[in-house]
Amino acid sequence: MTARPLSRRWYAREALVLAPELLNKLLVARDEAGRRRVGRIVEVEAYAGATDPASHAYRGSTARNATMFGPGGHLYVYFTYGMHWCANVVCGPSGTAQAVLIRALEPLAGLDEMRLARGQSATAGPGPAAQSRADRDLCRGPARLAQALAIVGTDDGVDLIRGRIRVLDDGFAPPAHPAQGPRVGISVAAERPWRFWVPDSGWVSASRRRVMPVDSVVATQ
DNA sequence: GGTGTGATCGTA
DNA sequence: ACGATCACACCA
């Protein structure tokens, strides 16, 4: 089956609906050499916009988050901790500033380019046995996958249907029962179980594969 | 496997 | 002042 982009309408749905639907879709970036770096989305987080204190859009539109307030199907890229870029899929009706943070990919193509972009591990020992970064560490984490796909600030606002970076559907269905748990690294609304991942995926950090107790999930939904 | 800490700078 | 984080050191 050939991989095809998704429609603008597909992206116009609520972040909480779209987030699990993005699981198992492909994230594809074309690099300067015309090579494609491809990963399958295995972990995401939903950010609901004005009603979500953890969202960058919670306090309204600014120069930084302007892309979130535009139409769905575009990439919102932000800079954090003074050194990292992270990538989100903007979704929902235009103006609602909803987004889904891409947290991890299973790398499928362009792994050599990804490794080069990520750099050698500082712990790789010297000599012929010096190992380059493990496949597992290429795209596990939002800043790592952005670096692997060379996603930076100039990619903010890119159209995911036609742009340098695209989300494609290759017919691989989302998991029927996605795993669900709390979002990572936030200090407010931390109880909302709005992180979704492919159950048992080895491409998601083991410590993040713990599911939230069912009653607490139900209670906050 | 887990925890703790420093890096580093744009944003509000 | 504080991040939608990461790499590394150290402990188990």
Side-chain angles (χ1 to χ4, degrees):
Chain A
M1 178 168 298
T2 63
R4 56 174 179 79
L6 296 143
S7 70
R8 192 69 66 197
R9 203 171 62 211
W10 189 87
Y11 288 105
R13 294 174 294 162
E14 304 292 299
L16 275 168
V17 172
L18 200 81
E21 287 284 317
L22 274 168
L23 294 175
N24 285 335
K25 296 289 184 289
L26 302 178
L27 185 63
V28 180
R30 190 171 287 279
D31 65 25
E32 294 171 356
R35 283 205 171 72
R36 282 154 65 108
R37 304 184 196 176
V38 184
R40 194 175 297 284
I41 299 170
V42 295
E43 185 185 14
V44 298
E45 282 175 1
Y47 286 87
T51 60
D52 183 359
S55 170
H56 289 169
Y58 185 60
R59 288 173 180 81
S61 179
T62 66
R64 179 206 203 191
N65 65 19
T67 297
M68 292 183 87
F69 286 83
H74 294 258
L75 195 69
Y76 165 53
V77 181
Y78 68 89
F79 185 66
T80 193
Y81 289 101
M83 61 195 104
H84 299 303
W85 297 103
C86 295
N88 298 250
V89 173
V90 175
C91 65
S94 190
T96 62
Q98 301 180 61
V100 178
L101 173 68
I102 309 298
R103 285 201 59 89
L105 307 174
E106 169 189 356
L108 295 178
L111 273 70
D112 291 341
E113 288 81 3
M114 292 182 188
R115 228 179 303 275
L116 203 59
R118 292 271 292 118
Q120 296 272 310
S121 168
T123 51
Q131 292 174 12
S132 52
R133 211 177 278 281
D135 291 359
R136 208 179 128 63
D137 293 329
L138 290 177
C139 299
R140 191 183 60 205
R144 288 169 172 169
L145 74 88
Q147 189 177 37
L149 271 56
I151 294 172
V152 293
T154 50
D155 294 307
D156 180 49
V158 157
D159 185 351
L160 292 169
I161 296 173
R162 320 185 38 102
R164 179 184 95 78
I165 299 149
R166 301 179 187 184
V167 174
L168 301 180
D169 180 4
D170 68 343
F172 198 107
H177 302 287
Q180 195 174 350
R183 294 176 291 185
V184 174
I186 55 174
S187 55
V188 291
E191 73 288 352
R192 301 185 189 185
W194 289 356
R195 185 168 53 93
F196 301 86
W197 66 96
V198 175
D200 304 318
S201 172
W203 303 99
V204 175
S205 298
S207 60
R208 305 220 159 116
R209 270 180 258 147
R210 291 180 301 110
V211 294
M212 193 172 249
V214 171
D215 7 343
S216 68
V217 169
V218 171
T220 50
Q221 270 182 334

